[in-house]
Amino acid sequence: MKINFTLNHQPVSIDVPAGITLLRMLRDYLGVTGPKEGCGVGECGACSVLLDGLLVDSCLVLAPQVEGREVVTIEGIRAPDGGPNDLQKNFIKYGAVQCGICIPGMVLAGEALLARTLHPSREEIRDALTGNLCRCTGYQQIVDAIEATALERSRLQEQQKV
Amino acid sequence: MSTYQFVGKSIERVDALEKVLGTAKYVGDYYLPGMLYARALRSEVPHARIVELDVSPALQVPGVKAVITCDDFVDHGNFGFPVKDQYVLAYQKVRYVGEAIAAVAAETEEAALEGIKAIHLVLEPLPGLFDIDHALDPNAPQVGPDRADGKHPNFLDMSPVYKGNVDEVLKQCDVVLDLKYTTPHQEHAYIETEGALAIPTPEGGVVVYVSCQSPFIDKGILQMVLGLDPARVRTIIPPVGGSFGGKDDLNYYTSAQVAALALKTGKPVRMTFSREESMIASYKRDAAHMHIQLGASHDGVLRACRAKHTFDSGAYASQTPFTAWRGSIHAMGAYRYDACEVEITSVYSNNGFSGAFRGFGNTEACFAIEQAIDEMADALGMDPIDFRLKNCLRLGDETPHGQILTQSVGLTECLQIVRKASDWDRKRTEYSRQAAGDIRRGIGVAALFHGTSLGAEGIDSATSTIEIENDHTIVLTSGLTDYGPGSRTVYTIIAAEELGVNMKRIIMLRPDTNTAIDSGPTVASRSTMVGGNAVRNAARNLAQTINLAASDLLKCSVDQLYRVGEDFVGPSEEVVRWDAVVDHARDMGLVLSTYGKWVAPKIDWDHHGGRGTPYFAYHFAAHVAEVEVDVRIGKTQVLNYWAAHDSGTVIFPEGAYGQVYGGVAQGIGYALLEEALYADGYLQSVNFDTYLIPTSMDVPEIKATFVQTYFSEGPYGAKNIAEPAMVPAAPAVLNAIAHAIGRRIRDLPADLEKVVLGEALRKKGSPVSCKIGLKTK
């Protein structure tokens, strides 16, 4: 069936079997491989995407469900120059990346949180990451990176107010 | 303290950018034109004879292009080291649930699944062996291969350490404890499942991209089972999405399967596992049954230790003989004894199969001995840290193996650091006196020693190549894989340090058997020390050439040269750029391509007498965990955590901290949550909905400290970190739980039931999840 939606700020129209998941559509039909399949049952968050700004496991969303909606994958998270944005830079700076397979989901989980608040406590950051499993890092440097970005963005926001 | 430009400085990981952008391509991200999808038919019974196997019906399924069995391989695809007991596809028998029997390549994943369902297979079930305590009974079902030496076919190996007469010394001890501990199988739970992609070459060879640890072992097995000469087989390791010891054997099977299918079809063939398939088919940390006798005198001096453990190797030997050996070396802990007797026996069973997993035998052994040490401190009425400090190994001591520790022994410092940082003395006293209640706190410690690199497991060396390209960049290789911990960054730091160039100038390649040189397996936390020394030697060799060119260009002697950034400066303050020096070196006809090798110091171990020098150095560490236990529901929350590691010099701090944080998190999972339970050979948890690993809420803020005792053989004095970071975590947490609730849990994991009831709540097992998991997408 034909599905029309916005992917990473661009309109997409694609014909796919009705029964496939959003994850499968992204990877197998659109060549968007940033989202990974880690478990297929919505436990690990490696396939995380933003659907209308909310963090979802794309393995649990059927492709037709995104009709008319906005999907952002890790490929859509960029600075204006096409390089890493501030959150991604902080993931690098704080040593939050090891094997990297969970990182697309972690960055999106961070963006989803920072869209809600720029003043999260470390506990709130940890809470926002519970749907994203990481086996390498013990999460600490991921929390560091998100915390630092929240601080930077909130300062920037205050400066813009003044 | 150092005068280094890069070593020990805050450095960005070389592969972080592509990972945060989501552009890093893992095996499962490769989609090639005409690529076929492969799937394996896997055993749904734990032990059986293959009576009938007809794969031809699979070929009738639309979209199926090829199907293979063990008959498609040389000698039925037999491989394995140290015991050659494995087959790329099952031969005559299956020995565990999940063992691959045949493999199909098809145009779609759905067709591949239909293909394996169409295969005609008749299995004649054999009695299964599931209780390792009875593996060596005369009438036990035979799992291991026939053997001519008269030993029980289920016996795999026995690793001893002997010092003095334990019975004699125990008789003289004031306090003797006799304790039993068990640890379960543990799943590696890398977030990227197994996978491999094979591309046939026009010359009749094959290029394999595989998510594994050890490229040259993969290549060697492919050559052997496919009957191809070395020039026809190339293994490339793309980014690996986590491994922890877990991405060797099963990915060798997988790469051989896709390689054979690619050669048969002439098309690229990729196999990637579903999570269920990964959990069911993959090897685990061995389960262990451990028995410790410990003797001490009233004054708090440890006198004797006897450790008799059994490790469950499961269906195949894989790495268990080595795991058990490493376990045996560490089974008595980092302490001095008058007498010591360790015997670790490994046996076959039909409980999946066991292989390498972070800590490699010491994780299991340390769990037992570090709780036993705590129990002895309790029995003597001593503080657990005081008791450890009184008995632990120090510089100049002789270990129970007979090795004199001549350098880099930082255990006492580690213990003192975690004691102070955690406010141990106050909390220990306060929690010991807490009033009865449902919410209880405790604080516990564990100490660690962990032999660096391979030790007596085998020849221990690595080689790196280094070359300057036409654009003046430097291309560096290693035969070792960075599957997450950061060795590519460590190697880039080392090369930049030695050559005095910016790190951005260096391109550190991923392993490719056509460009890198065999450096042994990427295991045993050996990358920084062994691989790092190889890089250092390679870079030093290249630096000699470059310095020669610079001195020629600046018309001075090499020792008159100095460096300002990348530039070379001569005695007359004349400055020349790196690029100019490289160009001049080329004009001089100098070779700008070289290599460096490092061979570890010789070790000497008597495998029968249980004496000698098992490792050339040891990592030491101490961990403290502070927990809160809700005794009504059995829930343990780790509130705070302190880890001090004597890792030698830290080369890449962000990476080293990451290893500690991640290692502690895995250890907390092992302590509280994780059990890959086999019921009659069937794994009971086949995905993350039932096999729980720690989330961000289960892991506390961890305070890590490095005690950087200089190790003369390591690069810049470095030892290692990856495995040791995990090993002491579980006993530290369990010792804290014991402190909180006043009762010992001696069987991992300390889940809700064990905390509340003191024992596991066992339901009857079921084969259903395995059977469904092996036949669905």
Side-chain angles (χ1 to χ4, degrees):
Chain A
M1 70 182 288
K2 195 85 151 179
I3 299 174
N4 302 291
F5 69 110
T6 306
L7 174 62
N8 297 328
H9 323 297
Q10 300 290 325
V12 171
S13 182
I14 187 158
D15 204 9
V16 296
I20 67 166
T21 63
L22 172 57
L23 176 62
R24 183 101 191 260
M25 176 167 74
L26 291 169
R27 291 180 57 85
D28 293 0
Y29 292 82
L30 291 163
V32 175
T33 56
K36 313 296 180 190
E37 179 175 309
C39 69
V41 296
E43 290 289 334
C44 77
C47 66
S48 295
V49 301
L50 300 178
L51 180 57
D52 291 340
L54 293 178
L55 189 71
V56 297
D57 292 321
S58 63
C59 73
L60 294 184
V61 177
L62 287 173
Q65 288 179 278
V66 305
E67 177 67 34
R69 300 172 76 181
E70 192 177 344
V71 174
V72 175
T73 69
I74 189 67
E75 286 87 351
I77 304 293
R78 292 288 187 276
D81 68 357
N85 76 0
D86 52 349
L87 179 61
Q88 288 163 318
K89 280 182 187 162
N90 278 329
F91 266 68
I92 299 172
K93 180 178 171 186
Y94 286 87
V97 179
Q98 289 189 31
C99 88
I101 197 86
C102 75
I103 294 299
M106 287 291 182
V107 170
L108 290 164
E111 288 293 357
L113 171 70
L114 296 176
R116 291 200 306 274
T117 174
L118 290 183
H119 304 279
S121 65
R122 286 181 75 84
E123 190 74 5
E124 284 167 330
I125 296 171
R126 286 180 178 275
D127 190 52
L129 300 178
T130 49
N132 293 74
L133 296 175
C134 172
R135 190 59 155 172
C136 295
T137 66
Y139 306 100
Q140 192 152 319
Q141 288 151 307
I142 295 174
V143 175
D144 292 345
I146 296 172
E147 187 182 40
T149 309
L151 194 65
E152 288 165 14
R153 286 189 191 178
S154 65
R155 279 187 188 150
L156 204 64
Q157 203 178 48
E158 278 162 33
Q159 281 168 11
Q160 282 163 355
K161 273 182 203 161
V162 177
Chain B
M1 74 181 188
S2 76
T3 54
Y4 300 125
Q5 205 179 338
F6 303 105
V7 168
K9 298 294 183 331
S10 185
I11 296 290
E12 291 184 355
R13 170 185 290 264
V14 298
D15 55 353
L17 180 63
E18 59 174 357
K19 289 175 175 175
V20 298
L21 293 175
T23 54
K25 295 279 181 213
Y26 299 80
V27 168
D29 297 331
Y30 283 82
Y31 293 78
L32 301 184
M35 184 179 87
L36 302 176
Y37 295 86
R39 174 105 187 199
L41 172 68
R42 297 184 181 278
S43 175
E44 294 179 26
V45 296
H47 199 197
R49 199 176 309 285
I50 300 171
V51 182
E52 291 173 36
L53 176 60
D54 178 8
V55 296
S56 59
L59 292 168
Q60 305 307 312
V61 173
V64 170
K65 295 295 174 191
V67 54
I68 53 166
T69 67
C70 66
D71 294 335
D72 290 275
F73 297 95
V74 176
D75 196 17
H76 306 286
N78 189 205
F79 76 101
F81 181 80
V83 182
K84 201 174 173 182
D85 61 358
Q86 291 167 286
Y87 293 88
V88 165
L89 288 166
Y91 173 57
Q92 296 183 332
K93 278 172 74 174
V94 288
R95 301 194 210 171
Y96 80 98
V97 175
E99 181 162 356
I101 299 166
V104 167
E107 287 170 341
T108 64
E109 289 176 83
E110 288 75 8
L113 181 59
E114 289 311 309
I116 65 162
K117 286 180 179 169
I119 291 170
H120 174 74
L121 171 69
V122 177
L123 296 175
E124 177 192 295
L126 295 166
L129 172 59
F130 310 115
D131 182 355
I132 57 167
D133 290 337
H134 294 286
L136 302 182
D137 289 357
N139 59 350
Q142 180 180 341
V143 184
D146 292 328
R147 55 196 298 164
D149 60 4
K151 286 185 178 147
H152 198 295
N154 294 336
F155 172 83
L156 192 47
D157 200 11
M158 197 282 279
S159 300
V161 178
Y162 298 125
K163 174 185 180 178
N165 186 324
V166 168
D167 285 320
E168 287 298 316
V169 178
L170 282 175
K171 271 186 224 158
Q172 303 159 14
C173 288
D174 300 317
V175 181
V176 176
L177 299 179
D178 191 297
L179 302 160
K180 287 185 174 172
Y181 303 91
T182 68
T183 52
H185 290 95
Q186 186 185 21
E187 162 65 31
H188 301 80
Y190 23 72
I191 307 297
E192 179 208 32
T193 58
E194 294 77 2
L197 163 69
I199 303 166
T201 65
E203 302 82 23
V206 68
V207 177
V208 174
Y209 288 78
V210 54
S211 174
C212 80
Q213 299 186 178
S214 304
F216 287 89
I217 294 179
D218 188 71
K219 178 183 158 99
I221 290 169
L222 289 174
Q223 277 172 232
M224 182 171 69
V225 300
L226 298 170
L228 292 174
D229 66 66
R232 294 277 183 273
V233 178
R234 177 177 181 186
T235 295
I236 297 173
I237 316 288
V240 175
S243 188
F244 319 108
K247 284 206 177 133
D248 276 332
D249 310 40
L250 188 60
N251 275 325
Y252 303 150
Y253 291 76
T254 305
S255 50
Q257 291 160 15
V258 291
L261 288 166
L263 290 169
K264 206 162 185 168
T265 59
K267 297 196 165 192
V269 178
R270 167 157 70 76
M271 185 188 292
T272 44
F273 285 44
S274 70
R275 177 60 57 184
E276 289 82 2
E277 208 180 0
S278 167
M279 283 208 181
I280 297 163
S282 71
Y283 59 90
K284 305 286 182 272
R285 180 190 300 289
D286 49 89
H289 292 190
M290 299 179 278
H291 185 187
I292 289 178
Q293 285 176 299
L294 212 52
S297 49
H298 277 315
D299 58 1
V301 175
L302 263 176
R303 301 282 316 275
C305 175
R306 174 178 279 132
K308 296 232 173 180
H309 303 345
T310 305
F311 280 13
D312 184 355
S313 185
Y316 295 99
S318 183
Q319 294 298 295
T320 306
F322 292 139
T323 312
W325 176 75
R326 182 179 278 273
S328 75
I329 300 304
H330 300 91
M332 75 302 287
Y335 305 98
R336 298 179 301 272
Y337 295 96
D338 296 331
C340 189
E341 180 186 311
V342 176
E343 292 177 344
I344 298 189
T345 301
S346 44
V347 296
Y348 285 103
S349 77
N350 297 112
N351 299 322
F353 80 107
S354 303
F357 194 157
R358 196 176 200 166
F360 205 71
N362 194 14
T363 316
E364 301 85 316
C366 181
F367 167 74
I369 190 64
E370 281 301 307
Q371 274 225 77
I373 291 290
D374 236 53
E375 299 202 45
M376 180 58 87
D378 286 349
L380 293 166
M382 282 183 75
D383 175 87
I385 293 184
D386 286 339
F387 183 57
R388 283 175 173 83
L389 284 169
K390 192 174 176 99
N391 292 286
C392 74
L393 293 171
R394 293 162 190 260
L395 194 65
D397 279 349
E398 184 182 311
T399 69
H401 325 89
Q403 177 176 2
I404 309 290
L405 299 174
T406 55
Q407 62 163 320
S408 198
V409 185
L411 181 52
T412 54
E413 292 92 324
C414 289
L415 283 163
Q416 283 155 352
I417 284 168
V418 291
R419 170 177 233 161
K420 186 155 183 265
S422 67
D423 197 9
W424 168 274
D425 293 306
R426 183 184 67 77
K427 286 175 181 166
R428 186 82 191 175
T429 309
E430 190 182 312
Y431 298 158
S432 297
R433 291 178 189 153
Q434 68 194 307
D438 293 332
I439 311 289
R440 306 194 59 78
R441 287 194 175 187
I443 191 164
V445 66
L448 166 84
F449 78 137
H450 191 86
T452 59
S453 202
L454 297 176
E457 284 175 42
I459 298 163
D460 205 354
S461 70
T463 304
S464 258
T465 70
I466 193 161
E467 182 170 5
I468 305 181
E469 297 289 308
N470 289 336
D471 66 353
H472 311 102
T473 58
I474 298 160
V475 173
L476 181 65
T477 76
S478 170
L480 301 176
T481 305
D482 182 355
Y483 36 85
S487 57
R488 287 175 72 216
T489 306
V490 169
Y491 298 160
T492 307
I493 291 170
I494 292 173
E497 190 71 54
E498 292 299 327
L499 288 162
V501 298
N502 297 330
M503 282 181 60
K504 295 262 185 247
R505 193 182 280 286
I506 297 168
I507 299 164
M508 172 71 220
L509 297 180
R510 289 202 168 80
D512 174 341
T513 56
N514 272 21
T515 60
I517 293 174
D518 190 358
S519 297
T522 317
V523 299
S525 311
R526 63 194 285 272
S527 291
T528 295
M529 191 168 44
V530 182
N533 271 327
V535 171
R536 196 180 195 194
N537 288 341
R540 283 179 168 178
N541 289 341
L542 183 62
Q544 280 191 4
T545 305
I546 292 296
N547 286 341
L548 189 66
S551 68
D552 190 65
L553 194 60
L554 290 163
K555 311 221 171 349
C556 65
S557 66
V558 168
D559 54 18
Q560 288 175 301
L561 291 170
Y562 67 98
R563 302 288 295 273
V564 177
E566 288 194 324
D567 297 341
F568 290 77
V569 184
S572 58
E573 302 290 311
E574 187 189 352
V575 177
V576 288
R577 300 265 151 162
W578 166 265
D579 291 9
V581 174
V582 170
D583 290 340
H584 186 68
R586 279 194 216 286
D587 291 343
M588 289 172 73
L590 297 174
V591 178
L592 296 180
S593 166
T594 184
Y595 73 97
K597 182 172 185 177
W598 191 72
V599 184
K602 263 213 167 334
I603 47 86
D604 161 42
W605 182 252
D606 175 352
H607 278 281
H608 300 288
R611 304 284 300 157
T613 299
Y615 294 97
F616 59 85
Y618 296 88
H619 179 115
F620 296 90
H623 285 195
V624 164
E626 184 179 4
V627 302
E628 186 171 270
V629 185
D630 183 337
V631 296
R632 295 165 300 186
I633 58 168
K635 167 84 177 155
T636 300
Q637 187 72 34
V638 183
L639 299 175
N640 287 295
Y641 205 96
W642 297 266
H645 283 267
D646 168 15
S647 51
T649 303
V650 173
I651 293 175
F652 172 33
E654 280 81 0
Y657 281 109
Q659 286 305 297
V660 175
Y661 303 150
V664 169
Q666 280 186 0
I668 288 174
Y670 191 49
L672 300 177
L673 302 169
E674 297 182 39
E675 178 171 22
L677 178 68
Y678 288 90
D680 294 335
Y682 290 91
L683 187 65
Q684 296 301 295
S685 308
V686 302
N687 205 325
F688 291 133
D689 51 352
T690 48
Y691 189 87
L692 304 182
I693 64 171
T695 70
S696 47
M697 295 297 274
D698 298 313
V699 184
E701 298 288 333
I702 297 156
K703 290 91 180 170
T705 310
F706 293 103
V707 176
Q708 303 189 44
T709 66
Y710 188 86
F711 174 54
S712 65
E713 297 286 343
Y716 313 96
K719 291 192 284 192
N720 61 357
I721 183 65
E723 290 172 287
M726 174 187 184
V727 179
V733 171
L734 271 282
N735 287 336
I737 293 174
H739 187 225
I741 68 175
R743 177 163 50 79
R744 285 277 161 191
I745 296 169
R746 299 190 181 89
D747 306 295
L748 284 183
D751 53 18
L752 308 182
E753 294 85 354
K754 292 209 196 86
V755 172
V756 174
L757 305 172
E759 61 185 71
L761 201 58
R762 284 274 179 266
K763 289 182 285 191
K764 198 174 176 323
S766 163
V768 172
S769 357
C770 284
K771 290 190 174 185
I772 293 172
L774 290 172
K775 286 279 172 65
T776 48
K777 159 81 176 75

